[in-house]
Amino acid sequence: MACIFLSMGLLLNCVYVNMERSGKRRLFKGDKALVRFENVTFEYIRRDEEGNVDGITTALDDLSLHIRKGEFIAILGSNGSGKSTLARHINALLSPTKGKVLVAGYDTCNVDDQFKIRQSAGMVFQNPDNQIIAETVEEDVAFGPENMGIPVEEMTKRVDDSLKRVGLYKKRLESPNRLSGGQKQKVAIAGILAMKPECIIFDEPTAMLDPVGRRMIIETAHELNKKDGITIVLITHNMEETVGADRIVVIEKGKIVMEGTPRQVFSKGEELKSLGMELPVITELAQRIGLEGCVLTREEFVKAFERAQD
């Protein structure tokens, strides 16, 4: 019993997103889709030295998905499932081999619209060091608005507001290279916010961060979604990061194989495990000690544990 309580304490401390909406579907006005994947297939084509086709890998296979404006959606999948390929379609880094992707009404295959698409849908990548391009934090954040041709006065206001939004205003004159990994990711987020996007795609943004940095970025993503109404697309293989999402989509071999609220998805533990994924640690622990229901948060765990003692 002592070992169980020790495990409880350690694992409960690992669950750093305490969300109220797990298992509930938020209402979105008109359920208007900001992003639409319509029967999208994407193929990576390998060629030999002479330019002949040497092989084809289908990363997305006739995939259809609508992401609503203001939604927080998490995309789960094992390595090679196609989740990062999907993410790169949203801001037109990749274009479908077949089918169509629409972002804020713009077709990603239309080269003339791709700049507008990237203004609407910004992307935070896995490695924060790959996103640093300037000598100071404020210069880095100003890069996007400057390329958009925003007047200096408006650009300065956007940079200051964005840095305040992510809690880095006091570090605006510092070199980004002196910041922690989590702070560098926040600089990248601020740079996107300064362009006033409707959507931010986080492509495994915590993969190279320590636990403090991971918590910092996931909490920032939820705050931007709740307070600013920004649509969040979180690509991850970390189950704990998805517990507070409005919806989880599980991808395997380029197809959607599961979809629903976190509670609906994590109630299918055996099916997830067959896809090479695990349950959130707190959900797994609750099942192992025989607690009833699909436990997703610390509060739910405590209540379920207390009920089990009655």
Side-chain angles (χ1 to χ4, degrees), residues 202-221:
F202 291 83
D203 188 9
E204 301 200 51
T206 66
M208 302 184 71
L209 303 182
D210 60 21
V212 173
R214 290 199 296 270
R215 178 171 183 164
M216 183 188 300
I217 296 307
I218 296 303
E219 287 182 348
T220 298

Side-chain angles (χ1 to χ4, degrees), residues 282-295:
I282 200 166
T283 307
E284 181 75 25
L285 175 61
Q287 289 186 2
R288 288 191 179 189
I289 64 176
L291 299 184
E292 293 184 358
C294 182
V295 173

Side-chain angles (χ1 to χ4, degrees), residues 214-233:
R214 290 199 296 270
R215 178 171 183 164
M216 183 188 300
I217 296 307
I218 296 303
E219 287 182 348
T220 298
H222 279 287
E223 189 175 342
L224 293 172
N225 177 249
K226 283 183 172 182
K227 294 186 177 180
D228 299 280
I230 295 174
T231 303
I232 301 293
V233 181

Side-chain angles (χ1 to χ4, degrees), residues 129-135 139-140 143 176:
D129 289 316
N130 291 343
Q131 300 171 86
I132 301 300
I133 57 175
E135 294 184 2
E139 289 174 351
D140 202 272
F143 180 79

Side-chain angles (χ1 to χ4, degrees), residues 54-116:
D54 191 40
I56 297 176
T57 300
T58 301
L60 299 178
D61 188 1
D62 195 32
L63 183 146
S64 293
L65 174 67
H66 291 181
I67 300 173
R68 297 181 293 267
K69 186 175 177 63
E71 185 175 22
F72 192 120
I73 183 170
I75 310 293
L76 279 176
S78 57
N79 289 336
S81 62
K83 58 186 186 296
S84 288
T85 299
L86 182 150
R88 283 164 169 75
H89 275 75
I90 298 176
N91 76 336
L93 289 177
L94 295 175
S95 297
T97 305
K98 299 176 184 176
K100 182 180 292 188
V101 178
L102 298 174
V103 179
Y106 297 110
D107 189 334
T108 60
C109 288
N110 189 340
V111 176
D112 293 336
D113 289 336
Q114 288 182 354
F115 185 70
K116 296 175 184 176

Side-chain angles (χ1 to χ4, degrees), residues 37-62:
F37 283 74
E38 305 287 359
N39 305 108
V40 171
T41 294
F42 181 79
E43 297 172 339
Y44 288 103
I45 300 175
R46 299 184 301 278
R47 298 183 182 276
D48 60 23
E49 294 178 355
E50 297 178 354
N52 300 313
V53 175
D54 191 40
I56 297 176
T57 300
T58 301
L60 299 178
D61 188 1
D62 195 32

Side-chain angles (χ1 to χ4, degrees), residues 6-273:
L6 177 59
S7 297
M8 283 170 54
L10 292 173
L11 290 174
L12 287 177
N13 284 333
C14 292
V15 182
Y16 48 80
V17 180
N18 177 24
M19 305 301 299
E20 309 110 9
R21 64 189 186 220
S22 301
K24 298 179 181 178
R25 183 184 182 279
R26 287 194 300 166
L27 296 178
F28 299 90
K29 189 174 181 180
D31 272 0
K32 181 180 178 182
L34 177 67
V35 178
R36 293 176 180 269
F37 283 74
E38 305 287 359
N39 305 108
V40 171
T41 294
F42 181 79
E43 297 172 339
Y44 288 103
I45 300 175
R46 299 184 301 278
R47 298 183 182 276
D48 60 23
E49 294 178 355
E50 297 178 354
N52 300 313
V53 175
D54 191 40
I56 297 176
T57 300
T58 301
L60 299 178
D61 188 1
D62 195 32
L63 183 146
S64 293
L65 174 67
H66 291 181
I67 300 173
R68 297 181 293 267
K69 186 175 177 63
E71 185 175 22
F72 192 120
I73 183 170
I75 310 293
L76 279 176
S78 57
N79 289 336
S81 62
K83 58 186 186 296
S84 288
T85 299
L86 182 150
R88 283 164 169 75
H89 275 75
I90 298 176
N91 76 336
L93 289 177
L94 295 175
S95 297
T97 305
K98 299 176 184 176
K100 182 180 292 188
V101 178
L102 298 174
V103 179
Y106 297 110
D107 189 334
T108 60
C109 288
N110 189 340
V111 176
D112 293 336
D113 289 336
Q114 288 182 354
F115 185 70
K116 296 175 184 176
I117 289 169
R118 288 168 189 153
Q119 286 180 247
S120 295
M123 195 160 183
V124 178
F125 294 94
Q126 186 178 114
N127 189 342
D129 289 316
N130 291 343
Q131 300 171 86
I132 301 300
I133 57 175
E135 294 184 2
T136 67
V137 168
E138 67 177 5
E139 289 174 351
D140 202 272
V141 175
F143 180 79
E146 187 175 15
N147 282 327
M148 291 167 60
I150 303 298
V152 174
E153 186 175 345
E154 171 64 15
M155 180 174 66
T156 301
K157 182 178 184 304
R158 287 192 186 193
V159 170
D160 289 350
D161 289 346
S162 298
L163 286 171
K164 290 174 183 176
R165 193 71 186 77
V166 299
L168 289 179
Y169 181 73
K170 291 183 178 179
K171 295 183 179 292
R172 64 192 183 281
L173 300 179
E174 292 187 19
S175 168
N177 296 314
R178 298 180 62 185
L179 303 179
S180 68
Q183 289 172 327
K184 289 176 182 177
Q185 287 290 44
K186 281 194 168 187
V187 171
I189 294 170
I192 293 169
L193 288 178
M195 295 189 287
K196 295 189 178 297
E198 295 183 80
C199 172
I200 300 179
I201 307 116
F202 291 83
D203 188 9
E204 301 200 51
T206 66
M208 302 184 71
L209 303 182
D210 60 21
V212 173
R214 290 199 296 270
R215 178 171 183 164
M216 183 188 300
I217 296 307
I218 296 303
E219 287 182 348
T220 298
H222 279 287
E223 189 175 342
L224 293 172
N225 177 249
K226 283 183 172 182
K227 294 186 177 180
D228 299 280
I230 295 174
T231 303
I232 301 293
V233 181
L234 175 64
I235 311 295
T236 185
H237 59 265
N238 187 319
M239 302 300 163
E240 279 69 36
E241 295 176 357
T242 70
V243 169
D246 294 308
R247 181 165 50 128
I248 293 175
V249 172
V250 182
I251 295 180
E252 177 66 16
K253 296 180 180 179
K255 290 181 176 289
I256 294 175
V257 295
M258 201 182 303
E259 183 176 0
T261 64
R263 198 174 307 283
Q264 290 169 339
V265 169
F266 292 133
S267 293
K268 302 176 181 178
E270 293 305 314
E271 191 173 342
L272 280 172
K273 290 177 182 179

